Amino acid sequence: MNDIEVKILDFCFEPKSTKELAELLEFKERKSVSRYLTVLLREGRIAMTIPNKPNSSKQKYITIK
């Protein structure tokens, strides 16, 4: 696991949007966060708050303990 993934996991103790994550990581685009979210979702380290609508504008991510 790299430093960015650790930051995401630490920050998502409460549900966070891709916009909030991009700001935390100082990325210019939210798309840049997707690469890390995909890995964390696949590994089961984070979860979507609206799993049946992955592209929802209200989608947020939370760390799984």
Side-chain angles (χ1 to χ4, degrees), residues 1-59:
M1 188 167 12
N2 65 41
D3 292 341
I4 293 175
E5 291 171 347
V6 171
K7 281 184 183 180
I8 291 172
L9 291 172
D10 289 344
F11 190 59
C12 289
F13 63 95
E14 290 183 359
K16 302 294 180 190
S17 67
T18 52
K19 181 180 179 184
E20 292 169 308
L21 290 167
E23 289 171 3
L24 166 79
L25 300 170
E26 298 179 359
F27 289 158
K28 292 181 180 180
E29 294 184 12
R30 290 183 284 176
K31 292 180 194 176
S32 301
V33 177
S34 298
R35 173 171 60 144
Y36 298 100
L37 291 176
T38 301
V39 172
L40 293 170
L41 285 164
R42 190 177 332 117
E43 292 176 352
R45 294 179 180 268
I46 60 170
M48 295 181 198
T49 56
I50 312 170
N52 58 338
K53 294 184 180 180
N55 297 320
S56 171
S57 62
K58 294 176 176 39
Q59 186 65 262

